[in-house]
Amino acid sequence: MVAATETVTLVLGEDSPLPESPADVEDLVRLLRGHVAQLGARTVQGTSALLRAQQLCSESIPEGYMPSRVYLVRLAEATRELTAHVASGAAGAGRVKGRWHWRKPPVNVLRGAVFALALACLALAASVPRT
């Protein structure tokens, strides 16, 4: 979601200039379409923000300088709207239930595991006969 926000800011930011070449526009559109696909997997199907973004993603990039830049801005705005929707927590109903999610273990558990591994290595090294 951070990458989507950065790409949207790259397109819609006040200090961001319009892309100069058609290749730049195509690259930004490809990035935004990828973000829409990732965010779409995290939200409920049929949501208005998702439908608008998916509809824009299905359109081809218009020919010409201004039409292609207008399309890019519209896609960035739709991506920003979808990002806000996912960030608000409204997308939670679309998550897959029953999936395992690993919790980050506390630091002391990691320290204990490293200590136990080091102790086991030391015991193993001490039990090997010297030649």
Side-chain angles (χ1 to χ4, degrees):
M1 199 159 52
V2 173
T5 304
E6 289 175 357
T7 306
V8 167
T9 303
L10 187 64
V11 175
L12 300 177
E14 290 181 18
D15 299 333
S16 298
L18 287 175
E20 294 179 13
S21 70
D24 293 339
V25 173
E26 290 175 10
D27 289 342
L28 288 169
V29 166
R30 184 180 37 79
L31 284 172
L32 289 170
R33 286 177 177 168
H35 295 316
V36 168
Q38 290 175 347
L39 293 168
R42 297 176 59 185
T43 189
V44 177
Q45 296 299 316
T47 306
S48 63
L50 178 60
L51 290 175
R52 178 173 176 250
Q54 287 176 335
Q55 191 267 335
L56 281 169
C57 286
S58 67
E59 296 175 7
S60 61
I61 302 172
E63 294 293 323
Y65 183 83
M66 284 308 292
S68 63
R69 276 45 175 199
V70 169
Y71 171 77
L72 178 64
V73 168
R74 288 179 56 216
L75 183 59
E77 289 171 345
T79 306
R80 178 174 57 190
E81 180 184 350
L82 185 58
T83 303
H85 179 74
V86 171
S88 72
R95 292 189 180 158
V96 178
K97 293 184 179 178
R99 254 184 150 168
W100 286 91
H101 296 283
W102 290 97
R103 275 189 330 126
K104 184 177 176 182
V107 175
N108 288 337
V109 171
L110 292 176
R111 287 178 181 159
V114 169
F115 179 75
L117 181 64
L119 191 61
C121 289
L122 183 63
L124 179 68
S127 66
V128 174
R130 295 185 186 172
T131 57

